[in-house]
């Protein structure tokens, strides 16, 4: 496995059922709204703009609600903002949030044997595998990217995808792993490798994603 020796997984299962059971329960509760629900995958890539994601009255950063892609509330004045710029600003944290849900659900499946979470992880990864190459490599700020506007954000996202896939493959789900490798990992790695930021903290994320 990427982050853990195979022979340590049983130890982690005992810990998740013992001292860290409240944490596992909390993660399971966070995932509950997604169980049996169709996964929303934005067709648009994230966009960094001056207006997107900020209240036009007081400049506050709008609240992030992963279940509200088109209505975005200001935490200060309560105004609900709509429109393409606000939606595409929302897409940036949403894509990271969704990839993290894939990790959490694959992990709970591995540790608790609850196939509901395995189904959720596979659903997220299948959606990404089918859509990744449809996102355009344009409107970028820091290097090439498809889902985001910078290479290092793409790298952070890719790491989450790889970890979730690895957890499922450790449970003998080779079909999803092969699909993700061919349709996400290899093209994403080729994209990331195009951009070298030298001695930059962002390049660290790029390097780890390539590894």
């Amino acid at each position: 496995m990427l982050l853990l020796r195979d022979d340590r997984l049983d130890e982690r299962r005992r810990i998740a059922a013992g001292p860290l059971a409240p944490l596992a329960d909390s993660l399971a509760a966070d995932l509950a709204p997604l169980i049996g629900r169709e996964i929303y995958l934005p067709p648009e890539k994230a966009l960094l703009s001056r207006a997107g994601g900020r209240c036009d009255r007081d400049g506050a950063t709008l609240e992030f609600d992963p279940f509200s892609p088109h209505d975005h509330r200001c935490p200060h004045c309560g105004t609900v903002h709509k429109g393409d710029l606000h939606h595409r600003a929302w897409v940036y944290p949403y894509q990271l949030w969704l990839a993290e849900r894939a990790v959490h659900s694959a992990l709970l499946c591995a540790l608790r044997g609850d196939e509901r979470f395995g189904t959720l992880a596979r659903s997220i990864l299948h959606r990404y595998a089918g859509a990744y190459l449809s996102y355009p490599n344009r409107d970028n700020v820091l290097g090439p990217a498809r889902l985001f506007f910078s290479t290092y954000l793409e790298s952070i996202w890719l790491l989450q995808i790889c970890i979730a896939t690895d957890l499922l493959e450790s449970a003998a789900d080779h079909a999803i792993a092969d699909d993700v490798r061919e349709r996400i990992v290899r093209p994403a790695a080729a994209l990331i490798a195009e951009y070298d930021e030298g001695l930059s903290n962002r390049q660290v994320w790029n390097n780890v994603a390539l590894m």
Side-chain angles (χ1 to χ4, degrees):
M1 298 175 65
L2 287 175
L3 298 182
L4 190 69
R5 294 201 317 265
D6 291 350
D7 60 0
R8 300 290 299 278
L9 193 56
D10 284 341
E11 176 190 3
R12 292 298 190 270
R13 290 190 179 104
R14 290 192 296 271
I15 294 172
L20 293 187
L23 175 58
D25 290 340
S26 176
L27 291 176
D30 288 344
L31 292 171
L34 291 171
I35 299 294
R37 180 175 183 159
E38 183 178 357
I39 299 300
Y40 175 70
L41 198 62
E44 307 87 357
K45 73 176 290 180
L47 180 71
L48 182 65
S49 66
R50 183 180 295 274
R54 292 193 176 277
C55 180
D56 57 14
R57 293 186 176 185
D58 52 35
T61 300
L62 302 181
E63 293 177 347
F64 171 68
D65 180 349
F67 300 104
S68 181
H70 301 294
D71 296 335
H72 312 284
R73 180 181 177 277
C74 174
H76 288 180
C77 66
T79 301
V80 175
H81 297 264
K82 300 175 181 287
D84 183 63
L85 292 181
H86 294 303
H87 171 66
R88 292 180 67 184
W90 173 90
V91 168
Y92 150 46
Y94 178 78
Q95 297 286 31
L96 294 175
W97 176 87
L98 187 60
E100 289 172 356
R101 302 291 84 73
V103 172
H104 292 171
S105 53
L107 180 62
L108 285 175
C109 181
L111 296 181
R112 291 189 159 183
D114 190 330
E115 187 50 36
R116 294 178 305 158
F117 298 117
T119 298
L120 175 58
R122 281 188 291 273
S123 177
I124 295 172
L125 294 174
H126 272 306
R127 291 297 309 278
Y128 273 132
Y132 180 71
L133 288 174
S134 70
Y135 288 96
N137 179 17
R138 65 167 184 258
D139 297 327
N140 300 318
V141 177
L142 284 166
R146 290 188 179 276
L147 273 68
F148 302 94
F149 41 80
S150 67
T151 308
Y152 90 96
L153 289 174
E154 200 101 350
S155 298
I156 294 171
W157 172 85
L158 180 61
L159 286 167
Q160 305 282 7
I161 296 299
C162 288
I163 292 168
T165 302
D166 182 58
L167 286 164
L168 291 178
E169 189 170 35
S170 70
D173 195 337
H174 303 295
I176 185 63
D178 291 341
D179 194 32
V180 169
R181 269 192 288 269
E182 288 300 318
R183 301 169 75 184
I184 299 178
V185 177
R186 287 194 171 94
L191 189 73
I192 292 166
E194 293 177 9
Y195 193 60
D196 187 349
E197 293 198 82
L199 297 177
S200 162
N201 63 328
R202 293 186 299 270
Q203 186 62 35
V204 172
W205 289 106
N206 300 350
N207 291 345
V208 175
L210 290 174
M211 290 170 62

